[in-house]
Amino acid sequence: MGAVAVLVAAAGIGGCSVDGSATQTTMPITVTSWFPGEGQQVLASLPVKGRAPKTGYDRDEFGQRWADIDRNGCDQRNDVLARDLANVTFKPGTDECVVMSGTLVDPYSGKVIEFARGEQTSTAVQIDHVVALSDAWQKGAQQLDAATRERLANDPDNLLAVDGPTNAAKGDGDAATWLPPRREFWCTYAGRQVEIKARYRLWVTAAERDALARALDGCPAASSPAGSLALLDDQEIGS
């Protein structure tokens, strides 16, 4: 694709920001810089196939929910809340792992949501799998090994804190059936979908490919997370 690949020892440094929210530490991965229009090139490189049967799908096939894959001592749900919310507060005595409150500007709808942890309130903010796990299962993930599926389910680039009802409306839809109501986020959303599908060797349907191509049309270079395409090498992905 004309881009230069480099190996990064750690994409980010663990710690806390000024407002106390945790920063994200990721595992070593191969990073390829994006250039303008390259999202379309990566999309064009994805296999196009029909959707496989959902037979055998179960959330447990993707391993532990909210596993601590970056080994920073906090589970991925709280990592994502700490990353995506502002004015974050933590439960005392949890080493700044358990997020108790914060403010989310929902990327999907633009709503401002005040998050407060509680039995009746936590669902106001949900963690979305940008590439839904059911969709991934029907487009190649069932052929991956268990460890790689768990990584896919907990990959920070595949997780976003979003408005709960909007996430429920998405369900397990792909880009052919659902895009965020806020059009300004389409470039980033489509870039993330393409990145994750390329990273984990998943495929797209023809209708999905066309929807992603329309969403990526005219997008700037930095449409993917942090403006980079992170691909797993052959030693990091199993089938």
Side-chain angles (χ1 to χ4, degrees):
M1 298 184 298
V4 179
V6 295
L7 185 65
V8 178
I13 301 174
C16 297
S17 64
V18 173
D19 65 5
S21 58
T23 56
Q24 192 71 40
T25 301
T26 59
M27 296 185 294
I29 48 179
T30 302
V31 175
T32 306
S33 296
W34 283 46
F35 298 109
E38 195 161 21
Q40 296 279 14
Q41 295 180 44
V42 178
L43 173 61
S45 75
L46 297 179
V48 179
K49 303 181 186 180
R51 184 185 294 271
K54 196 174 177 178
T55 306
Y57 170 72
D58 189 282
R59 175 60 181 82
D60 291 343
E61 293 291 338
F62 288 83
Q64 179 182 341
R65 295 170 186 260
W66 314 128
D68 179 18
I69 65 168
D70 56 14
R71 300 183 180 90
N72 69 346
C74 306
D75 66 66
Q76 293 304 96
R77 173 178 168 78
N78 280 290
D79 273 344
V80 174
L81 289 172
R83 181 195 68 189
D84 293 353
L85 273 59
N87 305 317
V88 174
T89 66
F90 298 91
K91 183 177 181 179
T94 64
D95 293 326
E96 296 191 332
C97 272
V98 178
V99 174
M100 295 302 294
S101 66
T103 302
L104 174 71
V105 179
D106 174 37
Y108 288 172
S109 67
K111 298 177 183 176
V112 177
I113 303 165
E114 296 300 328
F115 170 78
R117 181 177 295 274
E119 186 174 338
Q120 303 299 321
T121 58
S122 288
T123 57
V125 172
Q126 298 178 10
I127 307 301
D128 181 40
H129 288 94
V130 177
V131 173
L133 300 187
S134 172
D135 180 61
W137 178 261
Q138 297 172 78
K139 296 172 183 173
Q142 59 186 279
Q143 300 167 12
L144 302 176
D145 64 20
T148 305
R149 285 199 298 268
E150 182 173 77
R151 180 169 178 172
L152 165 60
N154 292 280
D155 189 323
D157 290 339
N158 195 34
L159 300 175
L160 279 177
V162 299
D163 172 58
T166 304
N167 187 43
K170 171 187 173 179
D172 62 358
D174 62 17
T177 60
W178 191 89
L179 286 169
R182 181 170 164 257
R183 292 179 65 95
E184 293 84 354
F185 197 65
W186 281 12
C187 282
T188 300
Y189 183 79
R192 283 194 178 225
Q193 288 230 338
V194 169
E195 175 163 355
I196 292 300
K197 295 222 164 180
R199 183 180 300 177
Y200 291 95
R201 319 281 174 85
L202 306 178
W203 68 75
V204 293
T205 65
E208 179 185 7
R209 175 203 58 199
D210 294 346
L212 287 168
R214 289 191 295 270
L216 287 168
D217 187 35
C219 291
S223 294
S224 79
S228 63
L229 174 64
L231 299 174
L232 300 185
D233 61 31
D234 290 335
Q235 286 71 47
E236 293 179 291
I237 195 165
S239 59

